[in-house]
Amino acid sequence: MTRIAVLLTLVGVPAGLAITDGNVQTLMTVTLGIWLAIFALFLRRWPLTVLIVSVLSVIAWRTANLIGSGWVWPATAAAVALVLAGRLRAALITVGLGLLFGFAWDGFIDVHHGGDWALAHVGGETLWMAAVLAVATAYRNTLRWRGEVAHRLAQDEHERELDARRRRAEERVEIARDLHDVVSHTLAVVGVHLNVALDAFDEDPAEARESLRLAQEVRGRAMTDLKSLVGVLRDGSVEDLAGLDRLADQVRAAGLQVSLNEFGDRSEVPAPVATAVYRVVQESLTNTVRHAGASRVAVTVRYAPASVVVDVQDDGTGAAEMADGHGISGMRERVAALGGALTAGPGKTGFTVRATIPITA
């Protein structure tokens, strides 16, 4: 945001003065643009101070006839930054006082102009500043609304996660009981047949062979039952990946365009990897809603036999806020714990998160 303000000020002030016939001296016009752009470097830390000093600088240039138009509008970037910082009233007061001084100077102090001329010129500048501050206020309110939606989304996800953990714990208890029954029953029956085969091995080889066959059949049925139980466990892990559609719908409700593309078969993804994929997508979307100021975000998940690749890319401008967040480090640690790697940073059009998670045997 600071870089944009500096660039717009550096280019916009000379261009605006040229358009409004205020370029009295090119050197002074360029100097004012550079001066205000330097102030814009400090907007993030001292937005009100920068706006006040910028307005006073414009007034000084104008009253000294170094520029021929504008009382407040060259400090537009500083006013917008103050509004985005949540200080609309201070911005209105500062801008209003600057415009009031400009009207008084043009209408009553400067003998070359009258009240009608001052009203027309200062009135046009007033409309410009009102429109800019209104747009900045609307943008800030949109960001706040998205932040609130992201906060509620995170709370809802936390509650659902607690419920899911409780259900998984109950399912594990049931599965543990089933495993106990299958294994204990199988071992008992196989043990009986092995004892019969051992006793009849010398005296009745046919009976021993039959007992071994029966033991093998019991073992086969037990393996089938165990595979079914493992299938239940695997189905439980897929629920996290199925929840990606729900995450996308929740972010769409926040006003973003979300595209979710999956390639490959996700049914073979083990539970730890599936959980990591879900968390990476969830945290990336939450960061996009909170910080990016984006309008679109694309989520791509590729399932391969050896790994899963997750790619989340938005078109926002909040790369600095997102890159330093705790959420990025948490995702990186989660992926690294599974032997994978995660990168996050500015992309071609916004911010990109890319994770590669291996699937171990």
Side-chain angles (χ1 to χ4, degrees):
M1 186 64 69
T2 301
R3 293 179 180 178
I4 295 176
V6 171
L7 181 61
L8 290 178
T9 301
L10 193 60
V11 176
V13 170
L17 289 174
I19 293 173
T20 58
D21 294 328
N23 185 19
V24 177
Q25 300 181 40
T26 302
L27 178 60
M28 291 296 102
T29 297
V30 174
T31 302
L32 178 61
I34 296 174
W35 183 254
L36 296 180
I38 292 174
F39 287 157
L41 293 172
F42 304 96
L43 281 174
R44 184 182 296 275
R45 181 172 296 183
W46 302 298
L48 178 58
T49 302
V50 170
L51 177 59
I52 293 174
V53 175
S54 298
V55 171
L56 292 177
S57 298
V58 175
I59 291 175
W61 250 259
R62 180 66 189 279
T63 54
N65 292 323
L66 299 178
I67 58 175
S69 64
W71 289 102
V72 171
W73 70 257
T76 297
V80 170
L82 190 60
V83 172
L84 295 180
R87 306 183 68 178
L88 175 62
R89 182 177 299 179
L92 289 174
I93 293 174
T94 304
V95 170
L97 291 176
L99 292 172
L100 184 61
F101 179 85
F103 177 75
W105 178 273
D106 285 340
F108 304 100
I109 299 176
D110 190 348
V111 297
H112 297 91
H113 305 295
D116 293 340
W117 188 95
L119 183 62
H121 284 74
V122 176
E125 191 170 358
T126 301
L127 292 176
W128 163 260
M129 293 305 301
V132 169
L133 296 182
V135 171
T137 302
Y139 178 71
R140 180 176 182 272
N141 291 338
T142 300
L143 292 181
R144 292 179 61 188
W145 175 69
R146 287 184 177 180
E148 180 65 23
V149 170
H151 178 68
R152 293 181 180 178
L153 185 150
Q155 285 185 330
D156 293 343
E157 285 298 325
H158 179 66
E159 294 176 358
R160 278 193 288 268
E161 183 178 356
L162 292 178
D163 291 340
R165 287 180 179 178
R166 178 181 54 80
R167 289 194 299 268
R168 285 196 294 268
E170 294 174 352
E171 291 172 357
R172 288 192 184 103
V173 172
E174 294 297 327
I175 292 172
R177 292 172 181 171
D178 293 340
L179 286 172
H180 175 269
D181 293 342
V182 170
V183 173
S184 61
H185 174 75
T186 302
L187 291 177
V189 174
V190 170
V192 170
H193 287 298
L194 290 178
N195 287 330
V196 171
L198 182 62
D199 293 338
F201 186 79
D202 294 326
E203 299 179 358
D204 192 349
E207 183 178 358
R209 187 180 297 107
E210 180 65 16
S211 296
L212 291 175
R213 187 187 64 80
L214 293 175
Q216 187 175 16
E217 288 182 359
V218 172
R219 175 260 182 195
R221 289 195 297 269
M223 288 300 297
T224 301
D225 293 339
L226 290 174
K227 287 181 180 178
S228 298
L229 292 175
V230 171
V232 173
L233 290 173
R234 177 164 291 171
D235 289 340
S237 70
V238 173
E239 290 179 359
D240 282 340
L241 294 176
L244 294 178
D245 291 321
R246 184 177 67 251
L247 281 178
D249 291 337
Q250 290 171 343
V251 176
R252 290 188 186 104
L256 272 71
Q257 299 178 17
V258 182
S259 62
L260 174 61
N261 301 295
E262 296 180 87
F263 303 94
D265 184 10
R266 66 186 182 188
S267 63
E268 298 298 325
V269 178
V273 176
T275 302
V277 170
Y278 182 88
R279 295 302 176 219
V280 168
V281 174
Q282 180 188 28
E283 183 65 29
S284 299
L285 291 179
T286 301
N287 283 342
T288 297
V289 174
R290 284 182 175 175
H291 306 298
S295 60
R296 298 188 305 274
V297 57
V299 179
T300 304
V301 184
R302 294 180 174 86
Y303 306 103
S307 64
V308 178
V309 178
V310 184
D311 191 281
V312 183
Q313 183 172 358
D314 62 52
D315 63 346
T317 58
E321 292 83 355
M322 295 171 65
D324 297 331
H326 295 291
I328 298 295
S329 60
M331 287 191 293
R332 187 174 286 113
E333 291 173 1
R334 179 185 291 273
V335 172
L338 296 174
L342 182 142
T343 59
K348 294 182 179 179
T349 59
F351 194 82
T352 300
V353 176
R354 183 180 180 87
T356 303
I357 309 172
I359 297 177
T360 57

